[in-house]
Amino acid sequence: MEAQKVDMFIMANGKFFESHQVAQIRERLIQMDDSKWGMIQTLQFKDPTTSLIISLLGGSLGIDRFMIGDTGLGVGKLLTCGGLGIWAIIDWFMIMGATREKNMSRLQQVLY
Amino acid sequence: MPLSRRNLYRILFMACVAGYIWLYIGLSIHQSGIKTVEVCPIKHLTNIPCPSCGSTRAVILLTKGEFVKALLLNPLGYVVAVIMMLTPFWILADLVTQKETLYKCYQKTEMHLRKPGVAIPLILFVIVNWIWNITKGL
């Protein structure tokens, strides 16, 4: 794919991924066939900042985990008052990274 | 990429250990006659109980065989108790037989729970339970 298109994608969506993954994504996109461009452009990613806000507000009900698609962990948090409050606090720091990982796996489903 | 098998088993094992330690603390406090310690952040912040407040007390009641009282206190206690009893043995069985039945079951349950037909009734159940908790003044 053209480097210009890829750079545009990176500029628009770079914040949704871990910084160490961006270079790898760029390389992979450049190698990729042009026919997949449409699919990649329509992908919806979860914003890490939004999930942080949700984690701060509804973390002890597990809503943040439900939102990013970790339903099982969400149920776990809900049933235990956010892991007796401890897990909820840990997740304030973990949730942004977890959201970026989820975004990466969503992109990977299209890439590979 | 969903949770890896190793991570899932680790988290579940740690949760079970923490749960049993918590239950032991709860039981020993309960026997000494003092009110159980409340750690729920929502209750501490807002003075309103959360949907799963009282599940420790419900599990403690279950260990004493008072099933109806436990159900009236918080039905979620039953869910917690079943998970706590099942998972350690399931993890052990998987480790011994070198299979991943728990992992597959977890993924299937997760997929199942995401369906609106299952999710909406469960969410309603949790909300109704929450309202009940607030009216009970747990």
Side-chain angles (χ1 to χ4, degrees):
Chain A
M1 218 149 50
E2 287 165 48
Q4 203 188 350
K5 263 188 191 174
V6 175
D7 282 336
M8 206 174 71
F9 176 84
I10 297 285
M11 252 199 281
N13 298 302
K15 63 180 174 189
F16 297 132
F17 305 102
E18 297 281 12
S19 50
H20 64 87
Q21 289 167 341
V22 173
Q24 181 205 337
I25 293 172
R26 188 175 182 277
E27 248 172 60
R28 179 79 197 140
L29 281 175
I30 285 178
Q31 287 166 12
M32 215 180 56
D33 195 53
D34 241 345
S35 58
K36 279 188 178 171
W37 176 240
M39 239 173 34
I40 283 179
Q41 261 199 323
T42 52
L43 276 180
Q44 294 270 321
F45 298 112
K46 295 255 163 41
D47 194 339
T49 321
T50 315
S51 55
L52 178 63
I53 296 168
I54 293 190
S55 186
L56 290 170
L57 294 175
S60 41
L61 300 180
I63 300 173
D64 48 348
R65 285 287 172 184
F66 285 121
M67 195 195 91
I68 66 167
D70 279 336
T71 318
L73 294 180
V75 171
K77 267 176 101 170
L78 176 65
L79 286 181
T80 58
C81 285
L84 303 177
I86 303 163
W87 189 359
I89 293 170
I90 295 172
D91 255 0
W92 292 348
F93 303 97
M94 302 270 289
I95 198 74
M96 288 182 87
T99 315
R100 292 194 184 103
E101 289 292 338
K102 283 276 164 190
N103 285 335
M104 187 61 193
S105 61
R106 185 166 299 187
L107 182 65
Q108 258 165 351
Q109 279 174 357
V110 180
L111 285 183
Y112 298 101
Chain B
M1 172 205 67
L3 211 58
S4 73
R5 190 179 69 96
R6 184 184 281 259
N7 273 343
L8 174 73
Y9 283 25
R10 201 176 287 160
I11 289 174
L12 279 178
F13 181 73
M14 270 162 44
C16 275
V17 170
Y20 277 109
I21 292 172
W22 181 245
L23 183 64
Y24 177 74
I25 295 171
L27 270 173
S28 50
I29 290 175
H30 188 79
Q31 267 156 8
S32 59
I34 317 164
K35 224 179 137 203
T36 40
V37 193
E38 284 163 351
V39 286
C40 177
I42 294 183
K43 197 169 178 189
H44 274 292
L45 278 175
T46 62
N47 230 354
I48 298 168
C50 79
S52 48
C53 270
S55 46
T56 309
R57 279 164 279 173
V59 174
I60 288 173
L61 282 176
L62 279 179
T63 60
K64 297 191 184 309
E66 302 190 54
F67 298 105
V68 182
K69 264 190 187 173
L71 191 70
L72 289 176
L73 192 68
N74 195 336
L76 286 176
Y78 273 90
V79 184
V80 175
V82 168
I83 293 173
M84 268 175 74
M85 281 193 296
L86 266 183
T87 32
F89 296 109
W90 204 336
I91 291 175
L92 207 69
D94 265 9
L95 282 181
V96 171
T97 56
Q98 297 280 321
K99 281 181 192 162
E100 41 184 44
T101 47
L102 176 58
Y103 185 53
K104 282 191 180 129
C105 181
Y106 175 84
Q107 281 184 325
K108 262 190 200 157
T109 321
E110 230 180 13
M111 288 284 282
H112 199 60
L113 284 177
R114 270 186 219 138
K115 288 180 198 153
V118 182
I120 292 169
L122 283 178
I123 292 170
L124 278 177
F125 164 71
V126 169
I127 291 174
V128 167
N129 191 38
W130 195 358
I131 295 168
W132 193 26
N133 272 354
I134 294 169
T135 53
K136 273 185 288 191
L138 280 176

